Amino acid sequence: MQEFDPSMLAENDGQDGKKVYIAHAGKVYDVSGSKLWKGGLHMRRHHAGADLTTDIHAAPHGTEVLERCPQVGVVKKEAAAAERKMPRAVAWLLETNPFFRRHPHPMTVHFPIVFFLANPFFNILYLVTGNASFETTAFHCLAGGILFGAVAVATGLFTWWYNYMARMMAPIAIKIPLSIALLTIAMILFFWRLNEPAVMDSVGGAGLLYLLLVLSLVPMVSVVGWFGATMTFPVEKK
């Protein structure tokens, strides 16, 4: 059976009428007959001509779908040996808790996004209307954002391991430090408001700084969410 190295596999990327080959666990499969691999792109995310051993862990299906396709070769041993292994702790967690195979990060990340956007919204309503209940709601939303933000960061790191073997990528390099900064500022605001309940009543000085930090939550959570979305739903470049 033919042996493929990465460069040979990459030649079969489905472009310009070429065959559509993918590799998994040392085996090379011909998926040209699948409508889901038309043009060498699967679900707008996975590209043919590559080893998808790591990527398939994030799929909603198992490896049984590959068994329906003809095997056309194997990956050269040196190339297979170079592949990164899933951390043992992550593998154990997946084996004992199948729930985590269903993308825990996308399920949890929506909550901190909403809470962190709601905090500035209700604070502005308070400034406009003078209704104290809006400011109290903003404070509660801030607490919710911190709580679920910590959960989102933890599941995000887990999903990064699970889907990408902790491989550093541009979106990750932006998301991690910005998420840490977001949670740090949120906690500063929380304890500040906890110790000074009337901080929003000041129109200058400390009150203005507090408001600026509150408003900074909007661009930070938006950028973090945007880069997360580009990983789940890649933006096609023309």
mmCIF file of all heavy atoms in Angstrom, residues 101-133:
data_model
loop_
_atom_site.group_PDB
_atom_site.id
_atom_site.type_symbol
_atom_site.label_atom_id
_atom_site.label_comp_id
_atom_site.label_asym_id
_atom_site.label_seq_id
_atom_site.Cartn_x
_atom_site.Cartn_y
_atom_site.Cartn_z
ATOM 1 N N ARG A 101 -17.294 15.537 24.871
ATOM 2 C CA ARG A 101 -17.076 15.381 23.439
ATOM 3 C C ARG A 101 -17.965 16.317 22.638
ATOM 4 O O ARG A 101 -17.796 16.451 21.425
ATOM 5 C CB ARG A 101 -17.354 13.937 23.024
ATOM 6 C CG ARG A 101 -16.348 12.935 23.569
ATOM 7 C CD ARG A 101 -16.667 11.536 23.062
ATOM 8 N NE ARG A 101 -15.710 10.567 23.564
ATOM 9 C CZ ARG A 101 -14.534 10.297 23.004
ATOM 10 N NH1 ARG A 101 -14.191 10.924 21.900
ATOM 11 N NH2 ARG A 101 -13.721 9.400 23.522
ATOM 12 N N ARG A 102 -18.937 16.953 23.287
ATOM 13 C CA ARG A 102 -19.901 17.795 22.588
ATOM 14 C C ARG A 102 -19.579 19.275 22.737
ATOM 15 O O ARG A 102 -20.435 20.089 23.055
ATOM 16 C CB ARG A 102 -21.317 17.501 23.099
ATOM 17 C CG ARG A 102 -21.753 16.061 22.834
ATOM 18 C CD ARG A 102 -21.701 15.754 21.349
ATOM 19 N NE ARG A 102 -22.107 14.381 21.056
ATOM 20 C CZ ARG A 102 -22.027 13.821 19.869
ATOM 21 N NH1 ARG A 102 -21.557 14.505 18.859
ATOM 22 N NH2 ARG A 102 -22.414 12.578 19.695
ATOM 23 N N HIS A 103 -18.326 19.607 22.600
ATOM 24 C CA HIS A 103 -17.910 21.011 22.539
ATOM 25 C C HIS A 103 -18.403 21.824 23.741
ATOM 26 O O HIS A 103 -19.278 22.674 23.603
ATOM 27 C CB HIS A 103 -18.413 21.669 21.252
ATOM 28 C CG HIS A 103 -18.169 20.847 20.027
ATOM 29 N ND1 HIS A 103 -16.935 20.750 19.446
ATOM 30 C CD2 HIS A 103 -18.998 20.065 19.294
ATOM 31 C CE1 HIS A 103 -17.009 19.961 18.382
ATOM 32 N NE2 HIS A 103 -18.234 19.519 18.276
ATOM 33 N N PRO A 104 -17.873 21.609 24.935
ATOM 34 C CA PRO A 104 -18.360 22.336 26.118
ATOM 35 C C PRO A 104 -18.142 23.836 26.053
ATOM 36 O O PRO A 104 -18.947 24.591 26.605
ATOM 37 C CB PRO A 104 -17.555 21.708 27.268
ATOM 38 C CG PRO A 104 -16.325 21.153 26.608
ATOM 39 C CD PRO A 104 -16.792 20.674 25.257
ATOM 40 N N HIS A 105 -17.104 24.288 25.364
ATOM 41 C CA HIS A 105 -16.839 25.738 25.342
ATOM 42 C C HIS A 105 -17.926 26.530 24.619
ATOM 43 O O HIS A 105 -18.443 27.510 25.185
ATOM 44 C CB HIS A 105 -15.475 26.011 24.717
ATOM 45 C CG HIS A 105 -15.091 27.459 24.725
ATOM 46 N ND1 HIS A 105 -14.977 28.210 25.878
ATOM 47 C CD2 HIS A 105 -14.813 28.316 23.706
ATOM 48 C CE1 HIS A 105 -14.651 29.449 25.578
ATOM 49 N NE2 HIS A 105 -14.544 29.542 24.270
ATOM 50 N N PRO A 106 -18.305 26.164 23.388
ATOM 51 C CA PRO A 106 -19.379 26.925 22.731
ATOM 52 C C PRO A 106 -20.690 26.931 23.513
ATOM 53 O O PRO A 106 -21.480 27.862 23.397
ATOM 54 C CB PRO A 106 -19.546 26.190 21.388
ATOM 55 C CG PRO A 106 -18.211 25.592 21.133
ATOM 56 C CD PRO A 106 -17.721 25.147 22.480
ATOM 57 N N MET A 107 -20.914 25.897 24.330
ATOM 58 C CA MET A 107 -22.151 25.844 25.103
ATOM 59 C C MET A 107 -22.127 26.810 26.284
ATOM 60 O O MET A 107 -23.168 27.284 26.741
ATOM 61 C CB MET A 107 -22.402 24.423 25.623
ATOM 62 C CG MET A 107 -22.823 23.431 24.547
ATOM 63 S SD MET A 107 -23.418 21.875 25.227
ATOM 64 C CE MET A 107 -21.926 21.216 25.952
ATOM 65 N N THR A 108 -20.942 27.102 26.817
ATOM 66 C CA THR A 108 -20.851 27.931 28.019
ATOM 67 C C THR A 108 -20.478 29.379 27.738
ATOM 68 O O THR A 108 -20.736 30.261 28.564
ATOM 69 C CB THR A 108 -19.802 27.346 28.986
ATOM 70 O OG1 THR A 108 -18.527 27.271 28.329
ATOM 71 C CG2 THR A 108 -20.197 25.947 29.431
ATOM 72 N N VAL A 109 -19.891 29.643 26.577
ATOM 73 C CA VAL A 109 -19.330 30.971 26.324
ATOM 74 C C VAL A 109 -20.404 32.044 26.133
ATOM 75 O O VAL A 109 -20.141 33.240 26.326
ATOM 76 C CB VAL A 109 -18.390 30.920 25.094
ATOM 77 C CG1 VAL A 109 -19.185 30.783 23.800
ATOM 78 C CG2 VAL A 109 -17.478 32.133 25.051
ATOM 79 N N HIS A 110 -21.624 31.628 25.752
ATOM 80 C CA HIS A 110 -22.674 32.616 25.518
ATOM 81 C C HIS A 110 -23.069 33.370 26.799
ATOM 82 O O HIS A 110 -23.449 34.540 26.736
ATOM 83 C CB HIS A 110 -23.914 31.946 24.924
ATOM 84 C CG HIS A 110 -23.653 31.263 23.624
ATOM 85 N ND1 HIS A 110 -23.230 29.956 23.545
ATOM 86 C CD2 HIS A 110 -23.730 31.704 22.343
ATOM 87 C CE1 HIS A 110 -23.076 29.623 22.287
ATOM 88 N NE2 HIS A 110 -23.370 30.658 21.530
ATOM 89 N N PHE A 111 -22.981 32.702 27.930
ATOM 90 C CA PHE A 111 -23.423 33.313 29.174
ATOM 91 C C PHE A 111 -22.568 34.523 29.577
ATOM 92 O O PHE A 111 -23.111 35.597 29.856
ATOM 93 C CB PHE A 111 -23.448 32.270 30.297
ATOM 94 C CG PHE A 111 -24.449 31.172 30.063
ATOM 95 C CD1 PHE A 111 -24.054 29.957 29.527
ATOM 96 C CD2 PHE A 111 -25.792 31.365 30.355
ATOM 97 C CE1 PHE A 111 -24.970 28.948 29.301
ATOM 98 C CE2 PHE A 111 -26.723 30.361 30.130
ATOM 99 C CZ PHE A 111 -26.313 29.152 29.595
ATOM 100 N N PRO A 112 -21.235 34.408 29.644
ATOM 101 C CA PRO A 112 -20.455 35.601 29.994
ATOM 102 C C PRO A 112 -20.577 36.715 28.963
ATOM 103 O O PRO A 112 -20.511 37.896 29.320
ATOM 104 C CB PRO A 112 -19.013 35.075 30.087
ATOM 105 C CG PRO A 112 -19.010 33.812 29.305
ATOM 106 C CD PRO A 112 -20.373 33.218 29.495
ATOM 107 N N ILE A 113 -20.738 36.352 27.689
ATOM 108 C CA ILE A 113 -20.903 37.393 26.673
ATOM 109 C C ILE A 113 -22.129 38.243 26.980
ATOM 110 O O ILE A 113 -22.073 39.479 26.986
ATOM 111 C CB ILE A 113 -21.013 36.766 25.264
ATOM 112 C CG1 ILE A 113 -19.671 36.169 24.832
ATOM 113 C CG2 ILE A 113 -21.468 37.816 24.241
ATOM 114 C CD1 ILE A 113 -19.717 35.448 23.499
ATOM 115 N N VAL A 114 -23.239 37.577 27.262
ATOM 116 C CA VAL A 114 -24.484 38.301 27.554
ATOM 117 C C VAL A 114 -24.341 39.118 28.830
ATOM 118 O O VAL A 114 -24.720 40.297 28.885
ATOM 119 C CB VAL A 114 -25.661 37.312 27.675
ATOM 120 C CG1 VAL A 114 -26.899 38.033 28.202
ATOM 121 C CG2 VAL A 114 -25.965 36.683 26.326
ATOM 122 N N PHE A 115 -23.808 38.529 29.883
ATOM 123 C CA PHE A 115 -23.695 39.240 31.162
ATOM 124 C C PHE A 115 -22.769 40.448 31.056
ATOM 125 O O PHE A 115 -23.074 41.524 31.604
ATOM 126 C CB PHE A 115 -23.184 38.296 32.251
ATOM 127 C CG PHE A 115 -24.247 37.401 32.832
ATOM 128 C CD1 PHE A 115 -24.078 36.028 32.863
ATOM 129 C CD2 PHE A 115 -25.424 37.942 33.350
ATOM 130 C CE1 PHE A 115 -25.064 35.195 33.394
ATOM 131 C CE2 PHE A 115 -26.406 37.121 33.885
ATOM 132 C CZ PHE A 115 -26.228 35.751 33.920
ATOM 133 N N PHE A 116 -21.633 40.287 30.359
ATOM 134 C CA PHE A 116 -20.690 41.398 30.246
ATOM 135 C C PHE A 116 -21.219 42.521 29.348
ATOM 136 O O PHE A 116 -20.834 43.675 29.508
ATOM 137 C CB PHE A 116 -19.340 40.906 29.741
ATOM 138 C CG PHE A 116 -18.512 40.227 30.801
ATOM 139 C CD1 PHE A 116 -17.829 39.049 30.534
ATOM 140 C CD2 PHE A 116 -18.412 40.777 32.074
ATOM 141 C CE1 PHE A 116 -17.072 38.422 31.507
ATOM 142 C CE2 PHE A 116 -17.648 40.163 33.059
ATOM 143 C CZ PHE A 116 -16.989 38.979 32.782
ATOM 144 N N LEU A 117 -22.075 42.192 28.402
ATOM 145 C CA LEU A 117 -22.698 43.233 27.590
ATOM 146 C C LEU A 117 -23.866 43.874 28.330
ATOM 147 O O LEU A 117 -24.156 45.067 28.146
ATOM 148 C CB LEU A 117 -23.187 42.644 26.257
ATOM 149 C CG LEU A 117 -22.108 42.202 25.265
ATOM 150 C CD1 LEU A 117 -22.750 41.596 24.023
ATOM 151 C CD2 LEU A 117 -21.206 43.375 24.879
ATOM 152 N N ALA A 118 -24.532 43.091 29.176
ATOM 153 C CA ALA A 118 -25.680 43.612 29.924
ATOM 154 C C ALA A 118 -25.252 44.605 30.995
ATOM 155 O O ALA A 118 -25.985 45.552 31.300
ATOM 156 C CB ALA A 118 -26.462 42.463 30.559
ATOM 157 N N ASN A 119 -24.072 44.407 31.563
ATOM 158 C CA ASN A 119 -23.612 45.315 32.630
ATOM 159 C C ASN A 119 -23.524 46.770 32.160
ATOM 160 O O ASN A 119 -24.119 47.661 32.788
ATOM 161 C CB ASN A 119 -22.272 44.830 33.180
ATOM 162 C CG ASN A 119 -21.674 45.803 34.176
ATOM 163 O OD1 ASN A 119 -20.814 46.616 33.825
ATOM 164 N ND2 ASN A 119 -22.126 45.730 35.413
ATOM 165 N N PRO A 120 -22.812 47.083 31.066
ATOM 166 C CA PRO A 120 -22.803 48.471 30.590
ATOM 167 C C PRO A 120 -24.195 48.964 30.194
ATOM 168 O O PRO A 120 -24.538 50.128 30.427
ATOM 169 C CB PRO A 120 -21.872 48.420 29.368
ATOM 170 C CG PRO A 120 -21.048 47.201 29.557
ATOM 171 C CD PRO A 120 -21.922 46.222 30.260
ATOM 172 N N PHE A 121 -24.999 48.076 29.614
ATOM 173 C CA PHE A 121 -26.342 48.462 29.182
ATOM 174 C C PHE A 121 -27.183 48.955 30.357
ATOM 175 O O PHE A 121 -27.793 50.035 30.293
ATOM 176 C CB PHE A 121 -27.019 47.272 28.502
ATOM 177 C CG PHE A 121 -28.457 47.504 28.140
ATOM 178 C CD1 PHE A 121 -28.801 48.307 27.061
ATOM 179 C CD2 PHE A 121 -29.483 46.927 28.880
ATOM 180 C CE1 PHE A 121 -30.134 48.536 26.726
ATOM 181 C CE2 PHE A 121 -30.813 47.143 28.553
ATOM 182 C CZ PHE A 121 -31.136 47.948 27.476
ATOM 183 N N PHE A 122 -27.223 48.193 31.431
ATOM 184 C CA PHE A 122 -28.047 48.578 32.575
ATOM 185 C C PHE A 122 -27.441 49.751 33.336
ATOM 186 O O PHE A 122 -28.175 50.560 33.925
ATOM 187 C CB PHE A 122 -28.250 47.384 33.509
ATOM 188 C CG PHE A 122 -29.262 46.399 33.001
ATOM 189 C CD1 PHE A 122 -28.875 45.146 32.550
ATOM 190 C CD2 PHE A 122 -30.611 46.731 32.954
ATOM 191 C CE1 PHE A 122 -29.803 44.250 32.061
ATOM 192 C CE2 PHE A 122 -31.554 45.835 32.464
ATOM 193 C CZ PHE A 122 -31.144 44.597 32.020
ATOM 194 N N ASN A 123 -26.113 49.877 33.320
ATOM 195 C CA ASN A 123 -25.505 51.049 33.955
ATOM 196 C C ASN A 123 -25.868 52.331 33.208
ATOM 197 O O ASN A 123 -26.123 53.373 33.828
ATOM 198 C CB ASN A 123 -23.984 50.883 34.007
ATOM 199 C CG ASN A 123 -23.520 50.162 35.259
ATOM 200 O OD1 ASN A 123 -24.010 50.423 36.355
ATOM 201 N ND2 ASN A 123 -22.571 49.249 35.107
ATOM 202 N N ILE A 124 -25.901 52.245 31.891
ATOM 203 C CA ILE A 124 -26.284 53.419 31.102
ATOM 204 C C ILE A 124 -27.754 53.755 31.326
ATOM 205 O O ILE A 124 -28.135 54.929 31.441
ATOM 206 C CB ILE A 124 -25.993 53.164 29.603
ATOM 207 C CG1 ILE A 124 -24.482 53.117 29.365
ATOM 208 C CG2 ILE A 124 -26.629 54.255 28.738
ATOM 209 C CD1 ILE A 124 -24.092 52.740 27.963
ATOM 210 N N LEU A 125 -28.589 52.717 31.411
ATOM 211 C CA LEU A 125 -30.004 52.963 31.725
ATOM 212 C C LEU A 125 -30.152 53.665 33.068
ATOM 213 O O LEU A 125 -31.017 54.541 33.226
ATOM 214 C CB LEU A 125 -30.769 51.633 31.748
ATOM 215 C CG LEU A 125 -31.191 51.032 30.406
ATOM 216 C CD1 LEU A 125 -31.959 49.736 30.629
ATOM 217 C CD2 LEU A 125 -32.041 52.012 29.610
ATOM 218 N N TYR A 126 -29.321 53.293 34.014
ATOM 219 C CA TYR A 126 -29.368 53.949 35.325
ATOM 220 C C TYR A 126 -29.000 55.421 35.213
ATOM 221 O O TYR A 126 -29.661 56.295 35.803
ATOM 222 C CB TYR A 126 -28.423 53.238 36.287
ATOM 223 C CG TYR A 126 -28.185 53.996 37.564
ATOM 224 C CD1 TYR A 126 -29.228 54.244 38.463
ATOM 225 C CD2 TYR A 126 -26.911 54.498 37.872
ATOM 226 C CE1 TYR A 126 -29.005 54.945 39.635
ATOM 227 C CE2 TYR A 126 -26.686 55.211 39.032
ATOM 228 C CZ TYR A 126 -27.736 55.429 39.918
ATOM 229 O OH TYR A 126 -27.528 56.143 41.074
ATOM 230 N N LEU A 127 -27.940 55.709 34.441
ATOM 231 C CA LEU A 127 -27.525 57.102 34.284
ATOM 232 C C LEU A 127 -28.587 57.936 33.576
ATOM 233 O O LEU A 127 -28.772 59.117 33.873
ATOM 234 C CB LEU A 127 -26.213 57.162 33.495
ATOM 235 C CG LEU A 127 -24.974 56.585 34.197
ATOM 236 C CD1 LEU A 127 -23.772 56.635 33.252
ATOM 237 C CD2 LEU A 127 -24.682 57.361 35.484
ATOM 238 N N VAL A 128 -29.293 57.315 32.640
ATOM 239 C CA VAL A 128 -30.312 58.030 31.870
ATOM 240 C C VAL A 128 -31.591 58.229 32.675
ATOM 241 O O VAL A 128 -32.197 59.307 32.652
ATOM 242 C CB VAL A 128 -30.623 57.277 30.556
ATOM 243 C CG1 VAL A 128 -31.821 57.896 29.845
ATOM 244 C CG2 VAL A 128 -29.403 57.275 29.644
ATOM 245 N N THR A 129 -32.000 57.192 33.407
ATOM 246 C CA THR A 129 -33.305 57.229 34.094
ATOM 247 C C THR A 129 -33.206 57.558 35.575
ATOM 248 O O THR A 129 -34.183 58.014 36.176
ATOM 249 C CB THR A 129 -34.015 55.878 33.958
ATOM 250 O OG1 THR A 129 -33.265 54.863 34.650
ATOM 251 C CG2 THR A 129 -34.145 55.494 32.491
ATOM 252 N N GLY A 130 -32.064 57.279 36.176
ATOM 253 C CA GLY A 130 -31.936 57.475 37.616
ATOM 254 C C GLY A 130 -32.591 56.370 38.430
ATOM 255 O O GLY A 130 -32.633 56.453 39.666
ATOM 256 N N ASN A 131 -33.082 55.334 37.774
ATOM 257 C CA ASN A 131 -33.736 54.221 38.460
ATOM 258 C C ASN A 131 -32.659 53.303 39.041
ATOM 259 O O ASN A 131 -31.921 52.649 38.311
ATOM 260 C CB ASN A 131 -34.621 53.451 37.478
ATOM 261 C CG ASN A 131 -35.487 52.417 38.161
ATOM 262 O OD1 ASN A 131 -35.098 51.822 39.158
ATOM 263 N ND2 ASN A 131 -36.678 52.195 37.619
ATOM 264 N N ALA A 132 -32.597 53.229 40.369
ATOM 265 C CA ALA A 132 -31.535 52.481 41.046
ATOM 266 C C ALA A 132 -31.582 50.983 40.756
ATOM 267 O O ALA A 132 -30.564 50.295 40.851
ATOM 268 C CB ALA A 132 -31.613 52.711 42.549
ATOM 269 N N SER A 133 -32.748 50.468 40.392
ATOM 270 C CA SER A 133 -32.857 49.028 40.129
ATOM 271 C C SER A 133 -32.018 48.625 38.912
ATOM 272 O O SER A 133 -31.514 47.495 38.840
ATOM 273 C CB SER A 133 -34.323 48.627 39.913
ATOM 274 O OG SER A 133 -34.858 49.264 38.768
#
